[in-house]
Amino acid sequence: MTHRMLWYIGGLLALLVVWPYSTGQGPLMDMRYGWSNVTCSTCKALVIALDISLQVESNMELVAEVAVKVCKTLHLEEEGVCQQVVELFKHEMITAWVMSVLRPSEVCGLLLGRDCGHWDIGSEWNITLPPVPKPPAHPPVPPQPGSPVSRVLFLTDIHWDHSYSPGSPATCKEPLCCRNHSTSSSHNPSGYWGEYSTCDLPLHTIESLLQHVSTNGPFERVYWTGDIPAHNVWEQTRSQQLGALTIITGLIKKYLGPVPVYPAVGNHESAPVNSFPPPSVYGNLSSGWLYHAMAQEWQGWLPHPALETLRTAGFYTTRIAPGLRLVSLNMNFCAIENFWLLINYTDPAGQLQWLVGVLQDAENNHEKVHIIGHIPPGLCLKSWSWNYYRIVSRYEGTIAAQFFGHTHLDEFEIFYDEETLSRPLSVAFIAPSVTTFINLNPGFRVYLVDGEYPESSHVVLDHETYILNLTEANKKPQEKPQWILLYSALRTYGMKSAYPSDWEDLVQRFLRDDQLFQTFWYLYHKGHVGEVCQESCKTGVICALRTGRSSDLRLCKDLDVYGKPAQKRKSLC
Ligand SMILES: *[C@@H]1O[C@H](CO)[C@@H](O)[C@H](O)[C@H]1NC(C)=O
Ligand SMILES: *[C@@H]1O[C@H](CO)[C@@H](O)[C@H](O)[C@H]1NC(C)=O
Ligand SMILES: *[C@@H]1O[C@H](CO)[C@@H](O)[C@H](O)[C@H]1NC(C)=O
Ligand SMILES: *[C@@H]1O[C@H](CO)[C@@H](O)[C@H](O)[C@H]1NC(C)=O
Ligand SMILES: *[C@@H]1O[C@H](CO)[C@@H](O)[C@H](O)[C@H]1NC(C)=O
Ligand SMILES: *[C@@H]1O[C@H](CO)[C@@H](O)[C@H](O)[C@H]1NC(C)=O
Ligand SMILES: [Zn+2]
Ligand SMILES: [Zn+2]
């Protein structure tokens, strides 16, 4: 192969590898401009050559070498990071490639646009709904005054950085700063409890949070939706990820004791990040190392049948109260960043078909269901997302609530009826992160849910968000930091209840009342806002709040975003 060909092939690998971590500006865009100079047929020829050549081990090394060079030349990342990230990813990435049904037209469609081919392989697929007619939908009925209310603690995106080092550079050349080995790009030292920068959290801040919640309950239960390790993704190993799993699980047990905890798998749990092969991949490359460790660590919280499906595919269901069932989804099977899905995008691990079965059983047994997961459904691959939307619509009378994380921001996604896309029927709550990444206060969420009594609706009645004000806390590093209530939803937004129609109404009010929207924007960042949000930013944010399924322009058609869909947020989360 010629030098030039290798350059492009390496570039392709570098692009795929760095894709999930790029901020979607500068370097990645340069890279894409680079590709725009390649013709469609050249691209396809290169992909065929790559497919064949990668089946030879020595070529794998060669391609990896070039990928490192490309990464460095284009300054995709800092030099050390380029080296490590390619080293880390090459084996799994290339194996996924070789095993995949990936065809040149798909790859080149991705790189060069729709004229050259279609990226979304086999995007059209449909799950099968049982031939049971949908029960009529009833508007929610508020609980009787004095009915029990459950407080559910919600933790997500902890992102513990074991190398966080107070006083180290808070800005640096690597993708994660505030670390012992950060390459300084300023003399701005990181604070003791965390930093408003591209930094994750030291263990003592996480421990402080857990200590706070341990004395501010009681909580009925905890939902914990993943992303345990930090964002130093270019150097993480399986054993480090497992270490983080064990240590954080141990701390939660230590501080919350007998409170039941229901976890979900995040995209950062694996090494390399986002690498979640479907169960059809077995042996050393499978996710067995991770799911088995989770089942081991979490066995006190989950019953046997749940541990079984957790071990196989990272999702589970279990009854958590009389009349209430929990479903914990493995949202990595819906994520474009999970390169293993190249093998087959169609309902990976059969998860959605399984979900339909669980929901039908629940409907038959008059149970309500809470769904938890990491990545919000509106950010999923299109066909997965549309099928999920259909399921939520079919089982609206059974699904009492949906809870997600991953974006690190405080937001939500409204689900509408499929026929008219105008009647709000469910809301996916997206809680802000524990971590500061990027430029945020540390925080956590508490949901107030219709409590445990016969005929309870188990729906969300209100929620509260707590933060640590880093500005305050870092002034007095030796003192016990104060976790404070940032806001509670009904009071702050002047809502009567927290049903889907109330969130729809809130979004309508954002459009009319900019001051109210700016309050939302402030809380969206846990009280630490970088830039103001106006015009197209505001439209994009509101569009996202309406978007429970991805790539559906109709959901925002009156928002003047037609032709420029809400900026697709890159998954740094
Ligand atoms: C792509 O082509 C444009 C115009 O032909 C040129 O200015 C640019 O430098 C080229 N980019 C690369 C990466 O070759
Ligand atoms: C899936 O269902 C939609 C709507 O019912 C239909 O238009 C489409 O053809 C179906 N796709 C497949 C692959 O069956
Ligand atoms: C960072 O380096 C300093 C000095 O070498 C050391 O004392 C400290 O323990 C290190 N911190 C971490 C978190 O590794
Ligand atoms: C399994 O894969 C991991 C990561 O790729 C590697 O570190 C480990 O040595 C492999 N183990 C075996 C038995 O091949
Ligand atoms: C992909 O997976 C689905 C569901 O498991 C299966 O029906 C389909 O045949 C698979 N497609 C390919 C190309 O392997
Ligand atoms: C955090 O504290 C600073 C300094 O006292 C204050 O200016 C800021 O408004 C506080 N932020 C929040 C969200 O309370
Ligand atoms: Zn995430
Ligand atoms: Zn995260």
Side-chain angles (χ1 to χ4, degrees):
M1 286 204 267
T2 68
H3 180 76
R4 195 175 168 76
M5 273 172 92
L6 277 175
W7 198 90
Y8 280 120
I9 290 167
L12 180 59
L13 182 66
L15 177 62
L16 287 169
V17 166
V18 184
W19 182 272
Y21 321 109
S22 165
T23 52
Q25 302 141 3
L28 180 66
M29 292 320 288
D30 292 349
M31 185 80 199
R32 292 237 243 177
Y33 288 136
W35 274 93
S36 70
N37 286 4
V38 181
T39 68
C40 187
S41 54
T42 312
C43 175
K44 288 181 179 170
L46 287 170
V47 173
I48 292 167
L50 176 61
D51 236 348
I52 296 166
S53 68
L54 282 181
Q55 311 198 13
V56 182
E57 181 78 22
S58 60
N59 282 345
M60 201 190 268
E61 294 302 324
L62 208 57
V63 165
E65 242 171 70
V66 176
V68 174
K69 261 191 214 137
V70 169
C71 176
K72 288 180 181 169
T73 310
L74 295 182
H75 304 291
L76 289 179
E77 280 303 345
E78 194 272 325
E79 296 208 353
V81 174
C82 283
Q83 187 79 48
Q84 282 175 292
V85 83
V86 171
E87 192 54 40
L88 205 59
F89 279 72
K90 68 176 188 220
H91 196 229
E92 321 227 341
M93 205 80 149
I94 292 173
T95 307
W97 183 291
V98 170
M99 286 176 70
S100 74
V101 293
L102 193 63
R103 292 287 166 266
S105 81
E106 273 93 28
V107 182
C108 297
L110 171 70
L111 292 168
L112 301 180
R114 295 250 152 207
D115 294 343
C116 189
H118 282 279
W119 165 246
D120 225 346
I121 315 177
S123 67
E124 277 280 298
W125 51 273
N126 291 330
I127 41 95
T128 315
L129 292 173
V132 182
K134 176 175 169 177
H138 301 294
V141 181
Q144 296 293 325
S147 303
V149 174
S150 297
R151 287 174 66 82
V152 177
L153 174 62
F154 194 89
L155 300 173
T156 191
D157 298 271
I158 291 177
H159 292 291
W160 164 42
D161 186 359
H162 59 85
S163 292
Y164 187 99
S165 180
S168 62
T171 50
C172 68
K173 296 190 174 128
E174 292 84 5
L176 183 66
C177 306
C178 303
R179 325 186 76 221
N180 247 0
H181 307 295
S182 293
T183 318
S184 175
S185 64
S186 77
H187 299 293
N188 184 15
S190 48
Y192 182 76
W193 296 104
E195 190 54 59
Y196 296 123
S197 188
T198 47
C199 301
D200 283 316
L201 290 178
L203 199 59
H204 55 255
T205 307
I206 297 161
E207 192 153 4
S208 160
L209 184 159
L210 291 171
Q211 194 166 35
H212 172 85
V213 293
S214 73
T215 55
N216 284 270
F219 296 105
E220 205 74 48
R221 67 189 92 95
V222 182
Y223 294 155
W224 174 28
T225 55
D227 272 9
I228 306 168
H231 288 84
N232 55 323
V233 296
W234 67 92
E235 58 179 16
Q236 287 167 340
T237 63
R238 287 182 179 185
S239 70
Q240 284 171 356
Q241 306 302 69
L242 295 181
L245 170 70
T246 306
I247 287 176
I248 301 297
T249 303
L251 275 184
I252 292 178
K253 283 183 193 155
K254 173 177 166 191
Y255 286 100
L256 288 155
V259 183
V261 179
Y262 301 101
V265 183
N267 61 310
H268 276 266
E269 266 64 83
S270 194
V273 65
N274 295 317
S275 169
F276 291 87
S280 59
V281 175
Y282 44 88
N284 191 33
L285 281 178
S286 84
S287 297
W289 63 277
L290 179 62
Y291 300 152
H292 279 85
M294 287 171 165
Q296 178 74 29
E297 293 295 334
W298 301 340
Q299 58 181 335
W301 294 332
L302 303 175
H304 262 281
L307 293 171
E308 278 302 302
T309 54
L310 174 62
R311 265 188 220 106
T312 316
F315 56 78
Y316 63 87
T317 179
T318 178
R319 209 171 71 127
I320 57 176
L324 181 59
R325 170 168 293 282
L326 179 87
V327 170
S328 175
L329 294 177
N330 184 350
M331 299 301 281
N332 294 298
F333 292 137
C334 86
I336 188 155
E337 290 82 6
N338 181 4
F339 50 84
W340 285 102
L341 301 188
L342 293 173
I343 294 173
N344 188 347
Y345 282 103
T346 306
D347 195 11
Q351 182 174 224
L352 284 185
Q353 201 60 59
W354 168 86
L355 174 64
V356 169
V358 171
L359 291 169
Q360 187 59 55
D361 287 349
E363 182 179 287
N364 298 345
N365 298 329
H366 306 288
E367 286 175 332
K368 298 292 179 185
V369 172
H370 282 180
I371 295 178
I372 64 171
H374 181 67
I375 301 173
L379 298 181
C380 290
L381 284 162
K382 183 174 174 186
S383 206
W384 199 100
S385 182
W386 283 54
N387 276 299
Y388 182 80
Y389 206 83
R390 218 170 117 220
I391 296 169
V392 171
S393 169
R394 165 61 186 81
Y395 294 99
E396 61 172 299
T398 296
I399 299 170
Q402 308 180 55
F403 306 99
F404 297 88
H406 179 67
T407 69
H408 296 192
L409 302 168
D410 183 348
E411 47 183 333
F412 54 88
E413 289 173 351
I414 302 174
F415 285 62
Y416 303 91
D417 69 298
E418 282 193 294
E419 295 72 31
T420 68
L421 295 181
S422 63
R423 181 177 64 88
L425 52 78
S426 186
V427 171
F429 292 99
I430 303 172
S433 57
V434 171
T435 185
T436 51
F437 196 93
I438 301 171
N439 204 16
L440 305 166
N441 283 310
F444 67 92
R445 164 70 51 87
V446 175
Y447 289 101
L448 286 78
V449 178
D450 195 7
E452 294 181 14
Y453 59 92
E455 301 303 308
S456 168
S457 68
H458 296 288
V459 301
V460 172
L461 302 173
D462 197 358
H463 64 63
E464 297 169 348
T465 303
Y466 295 81
I467 60 154
L468 179 64
N469 186 333
L470 270 186
T471 314
E472 292 286 329
N474 282 337
K475 275 186 207 157
K476 305 174 205 133
Q478 301 318 321
E479 281 176 30
K480 190 175 167 204
Q482 300 301 309
W483 292 83
I484 55 165
L485 176 67
L486 178 64
Y487 80 106
S488 59
L490 295 200
R491 195 167 59 233
T492 300
Y493 292 132
M495 298 161 78
K496 282 198 294 294
S497 46
Y499 301 135
S501 58
D502 297 297
W503 296 99
E504 167 67 11
D505 176 62
L506 181 64
V507 170
Q508 294 298 335
R509 286 192 287 140
F510 287 164
L511 288 169
R512 296 193 300 269
D513 180 349
D514 191 57
Q515 204 176 345
L516 186 66
F517 175 76
Q518 296 306 331
T519 302
F520 170 80
W521 184 243
Y522 173 78
L523 302 171
Y524 184 81
H525 295 95
K526 291 183 278 178
H528 193 259
V529 185
E531 298 154 29
V532 290
C533 182
Q534 276 153 349
E535 290 161 7
S536 67
C537 163
K538 178 171 173 180
T539 319
V541 169
I542 289 179
C543 176
L545 298 178
R546 287 185 178 176
T547 301
R549 68 180 177 194
S550 54
S551 318
D552 189 352
L553 291 174
R554 284 176 301 166
L555 292 164
C556 304
K557 64 179 185 308
D558 58 327
L559 284 177
D560 199 27
V561 286
Y562 202 81
K564 42 168 185 167
Q567 318 121 305
K568 191 145 176 152
R569 276 162 303 175
K570 269 285 146 198
S571 245
L572 281 159
C573 318

